[in-house]
Amino acid sequence: MKKIELEIVALSHSMSGTQSYAVVLGELNGLRKLPIVIGSFEAQAIAVALERMKPTRPLTHDLIKNFTTAFNIELIEVVINDLQEGVFYSTLVCMSDRQTAEIDSRTSDAIALAVRFGCPIYTYEHILDSASLVIEDSNVSNPAEQPTEPQTQNTIKNSNENLSRLNIEELQNMLNQVLEAEDYIKAAAIRDEINRRKR
């Protein structure tokens, strides 16, 4: 299977007021974006590495990097290799003394390590087909400059909305609205609901 390289394009806090975050991965030279919901600890770990901040004491992912480096283990790549019931699965591909090992990992931890090692992140076409969102960069302007109807704002901010009550067309309209507002967490939930209906 051909691997598709991804890059981190955004780290987003939920606009719905929950403690959820999303790391948004985009395919290189493509329009598809893969939002992955992560916890606050993992979001902090990724942000610290992206901003090249140096904490006074090593965070858990820094400790792992220091440990592996001390024993000449290199993280070669991260592969997001499976998606089951909305949960992404990943593998760390490591090398030591010309031996390669694949280690199962939570995707959020794998991304935090990939940033620290500067290694590529990959996935497969079937995962992008089922979980990615297409964001047309040429049509996106600053959401703050766009007038938004009060009903639309309420729809976006209402995190308790029961998506199962909406039809596909309503879900697609809501998906477009939350993408304009850059609420990737809500977008991921709507995407998952649409995918459930297609099965």
Side-chain angles (χ1 to χ4, degrees), residues 9 24-27 30-35 131-135 137:
V9 295
V24 182
L25 304 175
E27 71 176 320
L31 296 175
R32 291 179 292 183
K33 307 287 188 259
L34 192 63
S132 68
L133 305 168
V134 177
I135 301 172
D137 291 335

Side-chain angles (χ1 to χ4, degrees), residues 58-59 61-71 117:
L59 300 175
H61 297 93
D62 299 318
L63 174 63
I64 293 169
K65 182 179 189 298
N66 294 342
F67 184 84
T68 56
T69 302
F71 289 93
F117 278 91

Side-chain angles (χ1 to χ4, degrees), residues 8-15 18-25 34-40 42-44 46-47 50 88 108 111 133 182-189 191:
I8 298 173
V9 295
L11 188 59
S12 168
H13 184 267
S14 172
M15 295 176 69
T18 66
Q19 292 301 310
S20 299
Y21 292 78
V23 59
V24 182
L25 304 175
L34 192 63
I36 300 173
V37 178
I38 60 175
S40 60
E42 292 79 7
Q44 178 189 13
I46 293 169
L50 285 174
F88 293 91
S108 54
I111 294 169
L133 305 168
E182 298 182 6
D183 186 351
Y184 296 109
I185 297 181
K186 186 75 170 172
R191 171 204 66 200

Side-chain angles (χ1 to χ4, degrees), residues 94-112:
C94 303
M95 188 186 311
S96 174
D97 298 327
R98 289 184 231 117
Q99 291 182 330
T100 302
E102 294 185 4
I103 302 168
D104 184 37
S105 173
R106 293 188 315 163
T107 299
S108 54
D109 292 327
I111 294 169

Side-chain angles (χ1 to χ4, degrees), residues 108-126:
S108 54
D109 292 327
I111 294 169
L113 288 171
V115 175
R116 283 163 171 78
F117 278 91
C119 74
I121 302 169
Y122 295 102
T123 194
Y124 297 111
E125 187 69 38
H126 71 276

